[in-house]
Amino acid sequence: QVLLTESGGGSVQPGGSLRLSCAASGRTSDDLNIAWFRQAPGKEREFVAALTWSMSTVHADPVRGRFTIYGDTTTNTVFLEMNRIILEDEGIYYCAAGRTTPLSWTASYDYWGQGTRVTISA
């Protein structure tokens, strides 16, 4: 069992920045891919970014150039640095861990956190 705990959400103005954290604990291993997904009200959960076990990164088109995923192996924490935030970035952000691909599919992940909410307010 892998436990994922997200933090860092909150309210931010358009154009602002946030950094989300995902702390992994339990039976973590070196072959895990970690990803961020988000879900806006009334919409399906969508892929945001992923960090593979080999430290490669993938970012979805809507966030590429604004968001950056990176990890700290010493603390088993994966971060999502969010810059130049726009209204469309609002939603609940979930951290996920898995060992299969495609990285953008929710079905590739076996473990999910409870989510952290990001609210955009002008």
Side-chain angles (χ1 to χ4, degrees):
Q1 183 77 5
V2 177
L3 302 176
L4 303 172
T5 304
E6 303 99 332
S7 61
S11 180
V12 61
Q13 293 182 339
S17 298
L18 276 178
R19 189 180 75 163
L20 307 183
S21 300
C22 172
S25 61
R27 299 186 65 180
T28 60
S29 60
D30 292 339
D31 62 344
L32 276 177
N33 303 317
I34 306 293
W36 286 97
F37 287 77
R38 67 186 182 187
Q39 189 164 19
K43 294 188 177 181
E44 293 187 354
R45 194 167 297 189
E46 68 170 351
F47 172 75
V48 176
L51 177 68
T52 72
W53 63 269
S54 62
M55 305 306 284
S56 296
T57 61
V58 179
H59 296 81
D61 287 344
V63 306
R64 189 173 295 118
R66 300 188 298 117
F67 292 9
T68 303
I69 189 171
Y70 62 98
D72 181 349
T73 56
T74 63
T75 60
N76 283 343
T77 303
V78 174
F79 302 95
L80 183 69
E81 185 75 33
M82 306 168 60
N83 297 312
R84 304 200 307 276
I85 289 173
I86 61 178
L87 291 175
E88 290 77 10
D89 295 327
E90 185 167 87
I92 299 175
Y93 283 70
Y94 297 92
C95 177
R99 297 179 172 86
T100 61
T101 57
L103 296 171
S104 62
W105 288 14
T106 57
S108 298
Y109 300 91
D110 302 306
Y111 308 101
W112 292 83
Q114 294 299 307
T116 185
R117 184 179 298 274
V118 173
T119 302
I120 316 301
S121 58

